[in-house]
Amino acid sequence: MIKASSIPYSIVRATQFFEFVKQIAIFSTVGNQVRLPPALFQPMAADDVASAMARIATNSPVNGTVEIGPEQFRLDELARRDLLRARIRAR
């Protein structure tokens, strides 16, 4: 409906936030194992998404969709890295 209307618009599609990786790992834990697929995804910091949204919202409408997101990571590897970092800090 938005795209079909005559009203100027910008739709922003953002990737998952880095801040969600911990919760994803928690929900994927069975016993003492974290089971995550090697799926590719492109997380970015919530602050970066907010900055991009503000920049896009204060510029002229693009009458289309703006994709924001950095490099790709494998979900299982990113969670493993974050869990190892947390373990090291806990020592």
Side-chain angles (χ1 to χ4, degrees), residues 40-90:
L40 290 174
F41 78 134
Q42 296 175 271
M44 60 189 299
D47 286 347
D48 292 340
V49 173
S51 294
M53 291 286 294
R55 185 181 69 253
I56 293 164
T58 56
N59 284 313
S60 298
V62 298
N63 294 323
T65 302
V66 178
E67 302 272 347
I68 56 175
E71 67 180 291
Q72 291 185 337
F73 296 92
R74 280 187 31 194
L75 178 57
D76 59 332
E77 289 178 357
L78 187 59
R80 183 178 300 111
R81 186 188 75 193
D82 288 351
L83 291 170
L84 287 173
R85 187 179 305 138
R87 178 184 274 173
I88 291 169
R89 275 190 238 138

Side-chain angles (χ1 to χ4, degrees), residues 5-65:
S5 77
S6 61
I7 299 169
Y9 70 93
S10 294
I11 297 173
V12 179
R13 287 181 40 148
T15 63
Q16 293 288 324
F17 302 150
F18 273 112
E19 293 83 355
F20 291 160
V21 174
K22 180 180 176 183
Q23 287 300 320
I24 293 169
I26 289 169
F27 290 130
S28 302
T29 300
V30 177
N32 64 353
Q33 292 184 348
V34 179
R35 298 178 180 182
L36 290 168
L40 290 174
F41 78 134
Q42 296 175 271
M44 60 189 299
D47 286 347
D48 292 340
V49 173
S51 294
M53 291 286 294
R55 185 181 69 253
I56 293 164
T58 56
N59 284 313
S60 298
V62 298
N63 294 323
T65 302

